[in-house]
Amino acid sequence: MHIAHLTLTNVRSFRRLDLALEPGRHVIAGDNAQGKSNLLEAVQMLATARTLRGGTDLDVISWPAVEEDPLPVARLEAAVQTAQGKRTLEIAVIAQETPPGMRPTRASRRFRVNGVARRASDLIGQLRVVMFSADDLEIIAGAPAVRRRYLDITLSQFDGAYLRALQRYGRVLEQRNSLLRKLQERRGRPDELDFWDDELASTGALIAQRRADAIRALARDAAERYAELAPSEAEDLAICYVPRLPPAVAEAIREHDLADRLRATLVEERREDILRGVTRWGPHRDDVQFLIGGRHAGNSASRGQQRTAALALRLAEVELSTRRSGDAPVLLLDDILSELDPARRERILQVAYGVDQVLITTPDEDRPSREEMPDAVRYRLAEGILTRQ
Amino acid sequence: MSPIQRLVDAFHRLPGIGPKSAQRLAYHVLRAPVEEARDLAEALLHVKESIVLCARCQNVTDRSPCRICADTSRERTVICVVEEPLDVVAIDRTGGYRGLYHVLHGVVSPSDGIGPEDLKIEELLRRLRDVDTEVTEIIVATNPNLQGEATSMYLARLLRPLGLKVTRLARGLPAGADLEYADDVTLGRAMEYRQEV
């Protein structure tokens, strides 16, 4: 798939960006703080419907618009060409209405697919991207929540059932935890938990099984990519799923009756859950282990090894996304080439020639150089204005 | 606080009224003849003073039992359980249902602090335990969302032991819909709950 047209209005540093894109490789050069990352993050937002980098919805809207416009709105639009045809995606981030003179403090998002108002879940996956950035190190070295977020964003793009289960699971979990706290105060009756346990078990089982499948595929491919990227290294990369389930249930993760087993766990553990006022078992507490040479990559691998592992994971993700949906995702390389040695850069550029479209940002016009990427369309980004070279 | 601001704030507290609409409404009242303002104020007070909950179905009414409960031409064997009074209006407008109603005044939602004991469920059970009851079926017409489903399951488990048939509204495509524009969940449900033609 590829993005045929991208329009950003009042998005972060862009007052207006109107860009017709062809398949192929696009290199966007610019000094720091000119909005290179904003551009790729806007594309990622069109794919995932998520506000990025821990910012709020309001942060998506450019500051001049928030300060000056009577009704500040950021608009992100893309026309996407896939094997199945063309589709248009649109996200509008609308600042909350405030009395004159008051600055808005919140914003909300509206989604459209092919011009029709839709929910976020209908937009997600219409455009698939894999973004490589320096932040990827956090997947290896950061907290478990970062890894769950990584899995959710990755899987949601090509697995609609996973996305729906995930959204429902989140709502059910919130309700169940509220009920647990109420029961903790000896109000209500424990059998009020029945419905929430059923729902948590059926959605939770689906989430755990899809995660297990995806991680198995990612682990196999990432191990191979790691060995290729670091040929001189004796240690290997292993990735394992650590589901938050009792061992006997975790062993049965591939069984069709996982939901029944998870439900039984939730019922058995009710007393303890009520005591603590929180649901202790289920995929909301999952983790993924990255092991290099059999040791935890997060705390015992070198920075270089962690970086290679993150790169290998992203490369495996490209393969998984391609295999699961029939065509390759759009690659977004956010300033990662300049810090790689020539052999690794070579490997990434190889992958960049295996997909339909790649958007690359770089502070250094010569990374990738014209020799490395002779056919690339080159742009210069300065003060929010993109100029084709 | 100025009298105008007090009125603006009062309108702003109403559901669906933003700050701008509240201002517009307040200035409309300000410009309108005094009779119109008095009429509005009296209507507001009157509705609070004269409206009660029907002792049987818990719907809002100006007399108890309400018109529907008192209507002898209606079927007494079936009760349709709804979340809010407006749902009664919506279902009755269809003309396809001639049974009785029961209004829960909410749905089970622990995160909003609403449990079964906060709904008019005890009142429903009292109706069903009445020696004169002719009810054989309960139609649960809560909304097809998580809280609505939780409420419906809770009711079903409570009512089935009483030997009642408990049914749920069908889920699927809205009338006049275009398949192409239906979302995955709705279409999936419609497929799951398909009927023989």
Side-chain angles (χ1 to χ4, degrees), chain A residues 70 97-100 114 116 118-119 122 164 168 171-172 174-176 178-179 182 187-189 191-192 194-196 198-199, chain B residues 19-20 23 108-112 114-118 146-147 149-150 153-154 157-158 180-186 189:
Chain A
E97 208 180 324
T98 47
N114 294 331
V116 181
R118 291 292 191 183
R119 289 183 297 228
D122 299 312
R164 282 192 294 277
R168 194 166 173 93
R171 289 196 295 267
V172 174
E174 191 194 334
Q175 295 281 8
R176 187 177 193 269
S178 297
L179 185 52
K182 181 176 148 186
R187 294 183 297 123
R189 291 166 31 183
D191 69 0
E192 287 174 44
D194 291 353
F195 173 80
W196 307 109
D198 284 355
E199 288 292 320
Chain B
K20 296 239 170 72
Q23 277 175 6
V108 171
S109 179
S111 60
D112 298 311
I114 302 168
E117 67 280 5
D118 301 307
L146 202 52
Q147 290 90 328
E149 286 168 39
M153 203 199 83
Y154 187 82
R157 299 216 342 203
L158 217 55
E180 190 189 346
Y181 293 114
D183 66 275
D184 296 353
V185 179
T186 306
R189 289 260 168 81

Short mmCIF file of all heavy atoms in Angstrom, two decimals, chain A residues 70 97-100 114 116 118-119 122 164 168 171-172 174-176 178-179 182 187-189 191-192 194-196 198-199, chain B residues 19-20 23 108-112 114-118 146-147 149-150 153-154 157-158 180-186 189:
data_model
loop_
_atom_site.label_atom_id
_atom_site.label_comp_id
_atom_site.label_asym_id
_atom_site.label_seq_id
_atom_site.Cartn_x
_atom_site.Cartn_y
_atom_site.Cartn_z
N PRO A 70 -11.04 31.08 16.17
CA PRO A 70 -12.20 31.02 17.07
C PRO A 70 -12.55 29.57 17.43
O PRO A 70 -12.95 29.29 18.55
CB PRO A 70 -13.32 31.67 16.27
CG PRO A 70 -12.82 31.85 14.88
CD PRO A 70 -11.34 31.71 14.88
N GLU A 97 -15.15 23.77 22.93
CA GLU A 97 -15.67 25.14 22.83
C GLU A 97 -15.51 25.84 24.18
O GLU A 97 -15.82 25.28 25.22
CB GLU A 97 -17.15 25.07 22.46
CG GLU A 97 -17.63 26.28 21.69
CD GLU A 97 -19.11 26.16 21.35
OE1 GLU A 97 -19.57 25.04 21.07
OE2 GLU A 97 -19.80 27.18 21.38
N THR A 98 -14.98 27.06 24.17
CA THR A 98 -14.81 27.79 25.43
C THR A 98 -15.41 29.18 25.28
O THR A 98 -15.52 29.70 24.18
CB THR A 98 -13.32 27.94 25.77
OG1 THR A 98 -12.65 28.40 24.60
CG2 THR A 98 -12.70 26.65 26.23
N PRO A 99 -15.78 29.81 26.39
CA PRO A 99 -16.28 31.19 26.31
C PRO A 99 -15.18 32.10 25.75
O PRO A 99 -13.99 31.78 25.90
CB PRO A 99 -16.57 31.54 27.78
CG PRO A 99 -16.62 30.25 28.51
CD PRO A 99 -15.76 29.30 27.76
N PRO A 100 -15.56 33.21 25.12
CA PRO A 100 -14.56 34.09 24.51
C PRO A 100 -13.49 34.49 25.53
O PRO A 100 -13.80 34.74 26.69
CB PRO A 100 -15.37 35.32 24.09
CG PRO A 100 -16.80 34.90 24.12
CD PRO A 100 -16.93 33.70 24.97
N ASN A 114 -13.54 7.35 3.92
CA ASN A 114 -14.24 7.59 2.65
C ASN A 114 -15.35 8.63 2.81
O ASN A 114 -16.43 8.50 2.24
CB ASN A 114 -14.81 6.28 2.09
CG ASN A 114 -13.70 5.32 1.69
OD1 ASN A 114 -12.61 5.75 1.32
ND2 ASN A 114 -13.97 4.05 1.78
N VAL A 116 -17.26 9.24 5.31
CA VAL A 116 -18.35 8.91 6.22
C VAL A 116 -17.84 8.91 7.66
O VAL A 116 -16.79 8.34 7.94
CB VAL A 116 -18.93 7.52 5.87
CG1 VAL A 116 -20.10 7.18 6.80
CG2 VAL A 116 -19.36 7.47 4.42
N ARG A 118 -16.98 7.86 11.18
CA ARG A 118 -16.74 6.51 11.69
C ARG A 118 -16.16 6.58 13.08
O ARG A 118 -15.70 7.62 13.54
CB ARG A 118 -15.74 5.78 10.79
CG ARG A 118 -16.29 5.43 9.43
CD ARG A 118 -17.34 4.40 9.56
NE ARG A 118 -17.70 3.88 8.24
CZ ARG A 118 -18.66 2.99 8.07
NH1 ARG A 118 -19.34 2.53 9.10
NH2 ARG A 118 -18.96 2.55 6.87
N ARG A 119 -16.09 5.40 13.73
CA ARG A 119 -15.37 5.31 15.00
C ARG A 119 -13.89 5.09 14.73
O ARG A 119 -13.51 4.65 13.64
CB ARG A 119 -15.92 4.14 15.81
CG ARG A 119 -17.31 4.39 16.35
CD ARG A 119 -17.72 3.21 17.19
NE ARG A 119 -17.79 2.01 16.37
CZ ARG A 119 -18.81 1.16 16.39
NH1 ARG A 119 -19.82 1.36 17.17
NH2 ARG A 119 -18.79 0.10 15.62
N ASP A 122 -12.87 1.85 13.24
CA ASP A 122 -13.09 1.62 11.80
C ASP A 122 -11.97 2.23 10.96
O ASP A 122 -11.75 1.82 9.82
CB ASP A 122 -14.42 2.23 11.36
CG ASP A 122 -15.59 1.60 12.09
OD1 ASP A 122 -15.63 0.36 12.15
OD2 ASP A 122 -16.44 2.34 12.62
N ARG A 164 -11.13 -4.99 18.57
CA ARG A 164 -12.45 -4.93 19.21
C ARG A 164 -12.41 -5.55 20.60
O ARG A 164 -12.96 -5.01 21.55
CB ARG A 164 -13.49 -5.63 18.34
CG ARG A 164 -13.95 -4.78 17.17
CD ARG A 164 -15.18 -5.37 16.51
NE ARG A 164 -14.89 -6.64 15.88
CZ ARG A 164 -14.36 -6.78 14.67
NH1 ARG A 164 -14.06 -5.72 13.98
NH2 ARG A 164 -14.13 -7.96 14.16
N ARG A 168 -13.15 -3.63 24.23
CA ARG A 168 -14.17 -4.15 25.14
C ARG A 168 -13.53 -4.55 26.47
O ARG A 168 -14.07 -4.28 27.55
CB ARG A 168 -14.87 -5.34 24.50
CG ARG A 168 -16.16 -5.73 25.21
CD ARG A 168 -16.97 -6.69 24.34
NE ARG A 168 -18.12 -7.20 25.03
CZ ARG A 168 -19.33 -6.67 24.98
NH1 ARG A 168 -19.53 -5.58 24.27
NH2 ARG A 168 -20.34 -7.21 25.64
N ARG A 171 -13.01 -1.60 28.77
CA ARG A 171 -14.23 -1.11 29.41
C ARG A 171 -14.69 -2.06 30.52
O ARG A 171 -15.11 -1.64 31.60
CB ARG A 171 -15.34 -0.94 28.37
CG ARG A 171 -15.09 0.23 27.42
CD ARG A 171 -16.37 0.61 26.67
NE ARG A 171 -16.81 -0.44 25.77
CZ ARG A 171 -16.47 -0.51 24.49
NH1 ARG A 171 -15.70 0.39 23.97
NH2 ARG A 171 -16.92 -1.49 23.73
N VAL A 172 -14.61 -3.38 30.23
CA VAL A 172 -15.04 -4.38 31.21
C VAL A 172 -14.14 -4.32 32.45
O VAL A 172 -14.62 -4.37 33.58
CB VAL A 172 -15.03 -5.79 30.59
CG1 VAL A 172 -15.33 -6.84 31.66
CG2 VAL A 172 -16.04 -5.88 29.46
N GLU A 174 -12.47 -1.84 33.68
CA GLU A 174 -12.77 -0.67 34.50
C GLU A 174 -14.01 -0.91 35.36
O GLU A 174 -14.03 -0.61 36.55
CB GLU A 174 -13.00 0.54 33.57
CG GLU A 174 -13.07 1.86 34.30
CD GLU A 174 -13.64 2.96 33.41
OE1 GLU A 174 -13.52 2.86 32.18
OE2 GLU A 174 -14.21 3.92 33.97
N GLN A 175 -15.04 -1.51 34.74
CA GLN A 175 -16.27 -1.81 35.48
C GLN A 175 -16.02 -2.84 36.57
O GLN A 175 -16.49 -2.72 37.69
CB GLN A 175 -17.35 -2.35 34.51
CG GLN A 175 -17.81 -1.33 33.48
CD GLN A 175 -18.81 -0.34 34.04
OE1 GLN A 175 -19.06 -0.30 35.24
NE2 GLN A 175 -19.39 0.49 33.18
N ARG A 176 -15.24 -3.89 36.23
CA ARG A 176 -14.99 -4.94 37.22
C ARG A 176 -14.20 -4.38 38.40
O ARG A 176 -14.53 -4.68 39.56
CB ARG A 176 -14.22 -6.11 36.57
CG ARG A 176 -14.09 -7.30 37.53
CD ARG A 176 -13.39 -8.48 36.86
NE ARG A 176 -13.52 -9.69 37.64
CZ ARG A 176 -12.65 -10.09 38.56
NH1 ARG A 176 -11.57 -9.36 38.81
NH2 ARG A 176 -12.84 -11.21 39.22
N SER A 178 -14.16 -1.32 39.50
CA SER A 178 -15.05 -0.48 40.31
C SER A 178 -15.92 -1.35 41.21
O SER A 178 -16.13 -1.04 42.37
CB SER A 178 -15.96 0.35 39.41
OG SER A 178 -15.20 1.22 38.63
N LEU A 179 -16.41 -2.46 40.63
CA LEU A 179 -17.26 -3.36 41.41
C LEU A 179 -16.46 -4.01 42.54
O LEU A 179 -16.97 -4.16 43.66
CB LEU A 179 -17.86 -4.42 40.48
CG LEU A 179 -18.88 -5.38 41.08
CD1 LEU A 179 -19.99 -4.64 41.80
CD2 LEU A 179 -19.48 -6.26 39.98
N LYS A 182 -16.22 -1.66 45.34
CA LYS A 182 -17.51 -1.57 46.02
C LYS A 182 -17.70 -2.78 46.95
O LYS A 182 -18.15 -2.63 48.09
CB LYS A 182 -18.60 -1.52 44.95
CG LYS A 182 -20.00 -1.39 45.48
CD LYS A 182 -20.99 -1.25 44.32
CE LYS A 182 -22.31 -1.89 44.70
NZ LYS A 182 -23.25 -1.92 43.58
N ARG A 187 -20.34 -3.51 50.04
CA ARG A 187 -21.60 -3.13 49.42
C ARG A 187 -21.78 -4.02 48.21
O ARG A 187 -20.81 -4.42 47.58
CB ARG A 187 -21.58 -1.66 48.99
CG ARG A 187 -21.49 -0.70 50.20
CD ARG A 187 -21.53 0.75 49.77
NE ARG A 187 -20.40 1.11 48.94
CZ ARG A 187 -20.48 1.63 47.72
NH1 ARG A 187 -21.65 1.83 47.17
NH2 ARG A 187 -19.39 1.93 47.05
N GLY A 188 -23.02 -4.35 47.86
CA GLY A 188 -23.27 -5.19 46.71
C GLY A 188 -23.02 -6.66 47.00
O GLY A 188 -22.63 -7.02 48.11
N ARG A 189 -23.24 -7.51 45.98
CA ARG A 189 -23.08 -8.96 46.17
C ARG A 189 -22.08 -9.51 45.17
O ARG A 189 -22.06 -9.10 44.01
CB ARG A 189 -24.43 -9.65 45.99
CG ARG A 189 -25.41 -9.33 47.12
CD ARG A 189 -26.83 -9.72 46.76
NE ARG A 189 -26.87 -10.87 45.86
CZ ARG A 189 -27.98 -11.36 45.36
NH1 ARG A 189 -29.13 -10.80 45.66
NH2 ARG A 189 -27.95 -12.39 44.55
N ASP A 191 -22.03 -12.06 43.37
CA ASP A 191 -22.50 -12.62 42.10
C ASP A 191 -22.75 -11.54 41.04
O ASP A 191 -22.96 -11.85 39.88
CB ASP A 191 -23.72 -13.54 42.30
CG ASP A 191 -24.97 -12.77 42.72
OD1 ASP A 191 -24.87 -11.53 42.87
OD2 ASP A 191 -26.01 -13.42 42.92
N GLU A 192 -22.69 -10.27 41.45
CA GLU A 192 -22.74 -9.21 40.44
C GLU A 192 -21.50 -9.26 39.55
O GLU A 192 -21.46 -8.67 38.47
CB GLU A 192 -22.81 -7.82 41.11
CG GLU A 192 -24.15 -7.51 41.73
CD GLU A 192 -24.12 -6.18 42.50
OE1 GLU A 192 -23.56 -5.21 41.98
OE2 GLU A 192 -24.65 -6.14 43.63
N ASP A 194 -20.42 -11.92 38.08
CA ASP A 194 -20.54 -12.97 37.05
C ASP A 194 -20.44 -12.45 35.62
O ASP A 194 -19.67 -12.95 34.81
CB ASP A 194 -21.87 -13.74 37.22
CG ASP A 194 -21.88 -14.57 38.49
OD1 ASP A 194 -20.82 -14.65 39.14
OD2 ASP A 194 -22.95 -15.12 38.83
N PHE A 195 -21.26 -11.43 35.32
CA PHE A 195 -21.28 -10.91 33.95
C PHE A 195 -19.90 -10.38 33.54
O PHE A 195 -19.39 -10.68 32.47
CB PHE A 195 -22.31 -9.80 33.81
CG PHE A 195 -22.29 -9.11 32.47
CD1 PHE A 195 -22.90 -9.67 31.36
CD2 PHE A 195 -21.63 -7.89 32.31
CE1 PHE A 195 -22.86 -9.05 30.13
CE2 PHE A 195 -21.58 -7.25 31.07
CZ PHE A 195 -22.20 -7.84 29.99
N TRP A 196 -19.28 -9.62 34.45
CA TRP A 196 -17.99 -8.99 34.12
C TRP A 196 -16.91 -10.05 33.99
O TRP A 196 -16.02 -9.93 33.14
CB TRP A 196 -17.64 -7.93 35.16
CG TRP A 196 -18.74 -6.94 35.35
CD1 TRP A 196 -19.56 -6.81 36.44
CD2 TRP A 196 -19.21 -5.95 34.40
NE1 TRP A 196 -20.48 -5.81 36.23
CE2 TRP A 196 -20.30 -5.27 35.00
CE3 TRP A 196 -18.80 -5.59 33.11
CZ2 TRP A 196 -20.98 -4.25 34.34
CZ3 TRP A 196 -19.48 -4.57 32.46
CH2 TRP A 196 -20.55 -3.92 33.07
N ASP A 198 -17.38 -13.16 32.95
CA ASP A 198 -17.60 -13.81 31.65
C ASP A 198 -17.00 -12.99 30.52
O ASP A 198 -16.31 -13.52 29.64
CB ASP A 198 -19.11 -13.94 31.36
CG ASP A 198 -19.74 -15.07 32.16
OD1 ASP A 198 -18.98 -15.79 32.84
OD2 ASP A 198 -20.97 -15.21 32.09
N GLU A 199 -17.29 -11.69 30.54
CA GLU A 199 -16.83 -10.82 29.47
C GLU A 199 -15.31 -10.67 29.48
O GLU A 199 -14.66 -10.69 28.43
CB GLU A 199 -17.46 -9.42 29.62
CG GLU A 199 -18.92 -9.37 29.29
CD GLU A 199 -19.17 -9.60 27.81
OE1 GLU A 199 -18.41 -9.09 26.98
OE2 GLU A 199 -20.13 -10.33 27.50
N PRO B 19 -21.98 26.46 26.64
CA PRO B 19 -21.97 27.85 27.13
C PRO B 19 -22.61 28.84 26.15
O PRO B 19 -23.34 29.75 26.57
CB PRO B 19 -20.48 28.14 27.34
CG PRO B 19 -19.74 27.07 26.62
CD PRO B 19 -20.64 25.89 26.55
N LYS B 20 -22.37 28.64 24.85
CA LYS B 20 -22.92 29.57 23.85
C LYS B 20 -24.44 29.46 23.78
O LYS B 20 -25.15 30.47 23.76
CB LYS B 20 -22.32 29.27 22.47
CG LYS B 20 -20.81 29.51 22.43
CD LYS B 20 -20.44 30.55 21.37
CE LYS B 20 -18.99 30.95 21.50
NZ LYS B 20 -18.06 29.89 21.07
N GLN B 23 -26.08 31.08 26.72
CA GLN B 23 -26.16 32.54 26.57
C GLN B 23 -27.31 32.94 25.65
O GLN B 23 -28.09 33.83 25.96
CB GLN B 23 -24.86 33.07 25.95
CG GLN B 23 -23.77 33.29 26.97
CD GLN B 23 -22.47 33.72 26.30
OE1 GLN B 23 -22.43 33.95 25.10
NE2 GLN B 23 -21.42 33.79 27.07
N VAL B 108 -26.95 -0.99 35.24
CA VAL B 108 -25.84 -1.38 36.11
C VAL B 108 -24.54 -0.83 35.52
O VAL B 108 -24.23 -1.08 34.35
CB VAL B 108 -25.74 -2.92 36.21
CG1 VAL B 108 -24.46 -3.31 36.93
CG2 VAL B 108 -26.96 -3.48 36.94
N SER B 109 -23.81 -0.04 36.27
CA SER B 109 -22.51 0.47 35.83
C SER B 109 -21.64 0.76 37.05
O SER B 109 -21.67 1.86 37.59
CB SER B 109 -22.70 1.74 34.99
OG SER B 109 -21.44 2.23 34.61
N PRO B 110 -20.89 -0.26 37.49
CA PRO B 110 -20.10 -0.08 38.71
C PRO B 110 -19.19 1.15 38.69
O PRO B 110 -19.02 1.81 39.70
CB PRO B 110 -19.27 -1.37 38.77
CG PRO B 110 -20.05 -2.37 38.02
CD PRO B 110 -20.76 -1.61 36.93
N SER B 111 -18.63 1.48 37.50
CA SER B 111 -17.69 2.60 37.50
C SER B 111 -18.41 3.94 37.70
O SER B 111 -17.78 4.93 38.04
CB SER B 111 -16.86 2.62 36.22
OG SER B 111 -17.68 2.75 35.11
N ASP B 112 -19.75 3.95 37.50
CA ASP B 112 -20.50 5.15 37.84
C ASP B 112 -21.15 5.00 39.21
O ASP B 112 -22.01 5.81 39.60
CB ASP B 112 -21.59 5.42 36.79
CG ASP B 112 -20.98 5.67 35.43
OD1 ASP B 112 -20.06 6.50 35.34
OD2 ASP B 112 -21.41 5.02 34.45
N ILE B 114 -23.25 2.67 40.11
CA ILE B 114 -24.64 2.23 40.03
C ILE B 114 -24.71 0.70 40.03
O ILE B 114 -24.22 0.04 39.11
CB ILE B 114 -25.32 2.78 38.76
CG1 ILE B 114 -25.25 4.31 38.76
CG2 ILE B 114 -26.78 2.32 38.70
CD1 ILE B 114 -25.63 4.93 37.44
N GLY B 115 -25.26 0.15 41.09
CA GLY B 115 -25.46 -1.29 41.19
C GLY B 115 -26.92 -1.63 41.04
O GLY B 115 -27.76 -0.73 40.94
N PRO B 116 -27.26 -2.93 41.01
CA PRO B 116 -28.66 -3.36 40.85
C PRO B 116 -29.58 -2.73 41.90
O PRO B 116 -30.74 -2.43 41.62
CB PRO B 116 -28.60 -4.87 41.02
CG PRO B 116 -27.19 -5.26 40.80
CD PRO B 116 -26.35 -4.08 41.15
N GLU B 117 -29.02 -2.52 43.12
CA GLU B 117 -29.86 -1.99 44.20
C GLU B 117 -30.27 -0.54 43.95
O GLU B 117 -31.19 -0.03 44.59
CB GLU B 117 -29.13 -2.12 45.55
CG GLU B 117 -27.88 -1.25 45.73
CD GLU B 117 -26.63 -1.81 45.04
OE1 GLU B 117 -26.76 -2.86 44.35
OE2 GLU B 117 -25.55 -1.21 45.19
N ASP B 118 -29.60 0.15 43.01
CA ASP B 118 -29.95 1.53 42.70
C ASP B 118 -31.02 1.63 41.63
O ASP B 118 -31.48 2.72 41.31
CB ASP B 118 -28.70 2.30 42.23
CG ASP B 118 -27.62 2.30 43.30
OD1 ASP B 118 -27.94 2.67 44.44
OD2 ASP B 118 -26.48 1.90 43.00
N LEU B 146 -22.39 -2.34 26.73
CA LEU B 146 -21.87 -3.17 27.82
C LEU B 146 -22.76 -3.10 29.06
O LEU B 146 -23.15 -4.12 29.61
CB LEU B 146 -20.46 -2.68 28.15
CG LEU B 146 -19.54 -3.66 28.86
CD1 LEU B 146 -19.48 -4.98 28.13
CD2 LEU B 146 -18.16 -3.04 28.97
N GLN B 147 -23.10 -1.88 29.49
CA GLN B 147 -23.90 -1.73 30.71
C GLN B 147 -25.30 -2.31 30.51
O GLN B 147 -25.86 -2.92 31.42
CB GLN B 147 -24.01 -0.25 31.10
CG GLN B 147 -22.71 0.36 31.61
CD GLN B 147 -21.87 0.97 30.49
OE1 GLN B 147 -21.90 0.48 29.36
NE2 GLN B 147 -21.14 2.01 30.80
N GLU B 149 -26.09 -4.76 28.50
CA GLU B 149 -25.97 -6.21 28.51
C GLU B 149 -25.81 -6.74 29.93
O GLU B 149 -26.37 -7.78 30.29
CB GLU B 149 -24.78 -6.65 27.66
CG GLU B 149 -25.04 -6.53 26.16
CD GLU B 149 -23.76 -6.69 25.36
OE1 GLU B 149 -22.94 -7.55 25.73
OE2 GLU B 149 -23.58 -5.95 24.38
N ALA B 150 -25.01 -6.02 30.74
CA ALA B 150 -24.80 -6.45 32.12
C ALA B 150 -26.13 -6.44 32.87
O ALA B 150 -26.46 -7.39 33.59
CB ALA B 150 -23.80 -5.52 32.82
N MET B 153 -28.34 -9.36 31.69
CA MET B 153 -27.96 -10.66 32.21
C MET B 153 -28.33 -10.79 33.68
O MET B 153 -28.80 -11.83 34.13
CB MET B 153 -26.47 -10.90 32.03
CG MET B 153 -26.16 -12.39 32.03
SD MET B 153 -24.44 -12.74 32.38
CE MET B 153 -24.44 -12.66 34.15
N TYR B 154 -28.15 -9.71 34.41
CA TYR B 154 -28.50 -9.73 35.83
C TYR B 154 -30.00 -9.99 36.00
O TYR B 154 -30.41 -10.82 36.81
CB TYR B 154 -28.11 -8.39 36.47
CG TYR B 154 -28.28 -8.37 37.95
CD1 TYR B 154 -27.30 -8.92 38.79
CD2 TYR B 154 -29.44 -7.86 38.54
CE1 TYR B 154 -27.47 -8.93 40.16
CE2 TYR B 154 -29.61 -7.87 39.91
CZ TYR B 154 -28.62 -8.41 40.72
OH TYR B 154 -28.79 -8.43 42.07
N ARG B 157 -30.98 -13.66 35.17
CA ARG B 157 -30.65 -14.63 36.22
C ARG B 157 -31.59 -14.52 37.40
O ARG B 157 -31.83 -15.48 38.11
CB ARG B 157 -29.21 -14.41 36.67
CG ARG B 157 -28.27 -14.63 35.52
CD ARG B 157 -27.00 -15.26 35.93
NE ARG B 157 -26.78 -15.15 37.35
CZ ARG B 157 -25.60 -15.22 37.91
NH1 ARG B 157 -24.55 -15.37 37.15
NH2 ARG B 157 -25.46 -15.14 39.20
N LEU B 158 -32.13 -13.33 37.59
CA LEU B 158 -33.05 -13.10 38.69
C LEU B 158 -34.46 -13.62 38.35
O LEU B 158 -35.18 -14.12 39.21
CB LEU B 158 -33.11 -11.58 38.93
CG LEU B 158 -33.23 -11.05 40.33
CD1 LEU B 158 -32.12 -11.58 41.21
CD2 LEU B 158 -33.17 -9.52 40.28
N GLU B 180 -23.16 -1.64 2.84
CA GLU B 180 -21.82 -1.15 2.57
C GLU B 180 -21.30 -0.23 3.68
O GLU B 180 -20.12 -0.18 3.97
CB GLU B 180 -21.87 -0.40 1.24
CG GLU B 180 -20.55 -0.03 0.66
CD GLU B 180 -20.72 0.91 -0.52
OE1 GLU B 180 -21.86 1.03 -1.03
OE2 GLU B 180 -19.71 1.49 -0.93
N TYR B 181 -22.25 0.51 4.31
CA TYR B 181 -21.84 1.49 5.30
C TYR B 181 -21.98 0.99 6.74
O TYR B 181 -21.71 1.71 7.68
CB TYR B 181 -22.63 2.80 5.11
CG TYR B 181 -22.28 3.50 3.83
CD1 TYR B 181 -23.21 3.66 2.81
CD2 TYR B 181 -20.98 3.97 3.64
CE1 TYR B 181 -22.87 4.29 1.63
CE2 TYR B 181 -20.63 4.60 2.46
CZ TYR B 181 -21.59 4.76 1.46
OH TYR B 181 -21.25 5.38 0.29
N ALA B 182 -22.46 -0.25 6.89
CA ALA B 182 -22.61 -0.78 8.26
C ALA B 182 -21.24 -1.11 8.82
O ALA B 182 -20.35 -1.55 8.10
CB ALA B 182 -23.48 -2.03 8.22
N ASP B 183 -21.08 -0.88 10.15
CA ASP B 183 -19.77 -1.21 10.72
C ASP B 183 -19.68 -2.72 10.98
O ASP B 183 -20.69 -3.43 10.98
CB ASP B 183 -19.54 -0.41 12.01
CG ASP B 183 -20.50 -0.79 13.10
OD1 ASP B 183 -21.63 -0.25 13.10
OD2 ASP B 183 -20.16 -1.66 13.90
N ASP B 184 -18.46 -3.20 11.20
CA ASP B 184 -18.19 -4.64 11.30
C ASP B 184 -19.00 -5.31 12.40
O ASP B 184 -19.52 -6.41 12.23
CB ASP B 184 -16.71 -4.89 11.57
CG ASP B 184 -15.84 -4.41 10.43
OD1 ASP B 184 -16.44 -4.02 9.40
OD2 ASP B 184 -14.61 -4.41 10.56
N VAL B 185 -19.08 -4.63 13.56
CA VAL B 185 -19.73 -5.25 14.71
C VAL B 185 -21.22 -5.46 14.42
O VAL B 185 -21.77 -6.54 14.61
CB VAL B 185 -19.55 -4.37 15.98
CG1 VAL B 185 -20.25 -5.00 17.16
CG2 VAL B 185 -18.07 -4.19 16.26
N THR B 186 -21.86 -4.40 13.90
CA THR B 186 -23.29 -4.48 13.60
C THR B 186 -23.56 -5.55 12.56
O THR B 186 -24.46 -6.38 12.70
CB THR B 186 -23.79 -3.11 13.08
OG1 THR B 186 -23.44 -2.12 14.04
CG2 THR B 186 -25.28 -3.12 12.91
N ARG B 189 -23.14 -8.99 14.03
CA ARG B 189 -24.29 -9.36 14.86
C ARG B 189 -25.48 -9.75 13.99
O ARG B 189 -26.18 -10.72 14.27
CB ARG B 189 -24.69 -8.18 15.74
CG ARG B 189 -23.72 -7.87 16.85
CD ARG B 189 -24.23 -8.45 18.15
NE ARG B 189 -23.21 -8.42 19.18
CZ ARG B 189 -22.92 -7.33 19.89
NH1 ARG B 189 -23.58 -6.21 19.67
NH2 ARG B 189 -22.00 -7.36 20.82
#
